[in-house]
Amino acid sequence: MAFSFITYFTSSLLADCYRSPDPVTGKRNYTYMDVVRSYLGGRKVQLCGLAQYGNLIGVTIGYTITASISMVAVKRSNCFHKHGHEVKCYTSNIPFMVIFACIQIVLSQIPNFHKLSWLSVLAAIMSFAYATIGVGLSIAKTIGGGHHVRTTLTGVTVGVDVSGSEKIWRTFQAIGDIAFAYAYSTVLIEIQDTLKSSPPENKAMKRATTVGISTTTLFYVLCGCVGYAAFGNDAPGNFLTGFGFYEPFWLIDFANVCIAVHLIGAYQVFCQPIFAFVERSCNKRWPDSKFITNEHVINIPYYGEYTSASSVVWRQHMSF
């Protein structure tokens, strides 16, 4: 709840910073860094740039790892169903990371945020699906017969479940996970830039932020509380990929596929500002390079000509 309030407060401030000096009639700031440059300037631009792009890179790395774990979980789930729950069913994450990377290479040709709406809608549907499945399975396990788990007000017990250092490590890891789950404010300005100006962008973004944070927080609390009620102090870090459930295996498979699809879309949202930054920097560094500054048209069978993402992104920033 604390993180949700902090995220809502900071997101509301950022929404008002999209235009400056007036939040309704002022000049547009198209990116997070434009906002920093407009309101703070000086050395703070470099410091905030390091913070934003470092955060975005960290998020995308986390998405790559998590998506591959979910893909592996699908294969392991089928293995457990076929050979029994006691079999190790080891599967390497590396091939699935490569598959995820190949998918992202293709999707990275999407020109800009304005073209990501369908991918964002799909990712949101997938997010609702796997969260609902996780909560539903936890409720079923909690109310099922013969359910006895050990729960305590302060979680795992030092000296019984974990050592003191492990308890501290898990506590900070949990706080990090919650912070990671509320990381979207770093791309809020770029998302707000896709909104129409009627109603004012800041008002529309604040409404979207309220609905989004309220909904995600509700699911987070449900997953945490109902999941703990289902598994107690033996709760896995992720009850869909950590196999808190084994059956019905097809539903576990579907939930993990939803996670992977969600992260495929989310990866693109968090990567777009990085792409734009790299493309602008390269254009300034090598202004005479035709490879960087020229448009590159790709002829796709059954589709026609498609303009590469980099040239479109740079041309749009120049027109701004």
Side-chain angles (χ1 to χ4, degrees):
M1 295 302 297
F3 272 90
S4 68
F5 286 126
I6 293 170
T7 303
Y8 175 76
F9 177 68
T10 55
S11 297
S12 297
L13 291 178
L14 277 173
D16 285 334
C17 292
Y18 175 66
R19 289 179 180 270
S20 61
D22 185 88
V24 177
T25 60
K27 175 181 173 295
R28 292 174 183 263
N29 295 302
Y30 300 102
T31 67
Y32 179 86
M33 292 311 303
D34 288 343
V35 168
V36 176
R37 191 174 291 106
S38 176
Y39 281 93
L40 300 178
R43 181 66 65 180
K44 298 181 183 68
V45 176
Q46 287 77 25
L47 294 176
C48 289
L50 288 173
Q52 186 199 17
Y53 294 118
N55 185 290
L56 293 177
I57 292 171
V59 167
T60 54
I61 293 172
Y63 283 175
T64 302
I65 296 171
T66 306
S68 67
I69 291 174
S70 295
M71 295 176 188
V72 166
V74 173
K75 191 170 182 179
R76 293 186 67 201
S77 175
N78 294 332
C79 176
F80 288 136
H81 178 73
K82 184 177 181 180
H83 300 289
H85 301 169
E86 303 303 322
V87 180
K88 290 186 177 181
C89 292
Y90 172 77
T91 304
S92 174
N93 290 7
I94 295 176
F96 294 95
M97 287 187 182
V98 174
I99 293 172
F100 184 85
C102 292
I103 294 172
Q104 295 303 334
I105 289 173
V106 175
L107 292 179
S108 294
Q109 299 311 306
I110 297 175
N112 53 60
F113 262 101
H114 293 78
K115 303 296 183 180
L116 284 175
S117 58
W118 66 271
L119 195 59
S120 297
V121 170
L122 177 62
I125 294 172
M126 295 296 102
S127 180
F128 275 111
Y130 72 73
T132 302
I133 290 171
V135 172
L137 289 173
S138 296
I139 293 174
K141 184 175 177 65
T142 302
I143 64 178
H147 178 71
H148 300 287
V149 296
R150 184 168 54 87
T151 59
T152 56
L153 183 62
T154 56
V156 292
T157 305
V158 175
V160 178
D161 303 301
V162 293
S163 65
S165 59
E166 287 176 329
K167 174 80 171 181
I168 293 174
W169 172 256
R170 289 190 182 191
T171 301
F172 281 105
Q173 188 177 36
I175 294 172
D177 288 341
I178 296 171
F180 183 78
Y182 285 104
Y184 96 102
S185 57
T186 52
V187 291
L188 183 143
I189 295 297
E190 283 81 359
I191 294 173
Q192 188 169 339
D193 188 44
T194 67
L195 301 178
K196 296 179 180 179
S197 58
S198 181
E201 302 92 349
N202 63 328
K203 292 183 178 180
M205 197 66 204
K206 286 180 181 179
R207 283 199 297 268
T209 297
T210 301
V211 174
I213 292 178
S214 300
T215 304
T216 54
T217 301
L218 174 63
F219 274 103
Y220 293 160
V221 171
L222 282 175
C223 286
C225 294
V226 179
Y228 187 62
F231 299 102
N233 289 349
D234 294 326
N238 184 324
F239 46 62
L240 291 175
T241 61
F243 292 97
F245 312 101
Y246 289 94
E247 300 293 341
F249 80 99
W250 58 268
L251 189 59
I252 306 299
D253 289 352
F254 177 72
N256 279 301
V257 168
C258 288
I259 293 175
V261 174
H262 169 220
L263 294 179
I264 286 171
Y267 183 99
Q268 281 299 310
V269 172
F270 281 87
C271 261
Q272 286 288 325
I274 301 175
F275 294 157
F277 171 76
V278 171
E279 289 154 9
R280 289 197 304 271
S281 299
C282 289
N283 194 285
K284 292 179 180 179
R285 180 70 174 80
W286 298 286
D288 298 325
S289 172
K290 293 183 179 180
F291 175 76
I292 294 175
T293 58
N294 285 6
E295 291 187 15
H296 302 283
V297 178
I298 304 171
N299 193 356
I300 302 176
Y302 306 106
Y303 177 85
E305 293 185 344
Y306 185 86
T307 304
S308 66
S310 59
S311 56
V312 172
V313 169
W314 175 250
R315 188 172 66 253
Q316 288 180 339
H317 276 85
M318 287 297 289
S319 68
F320 291 156

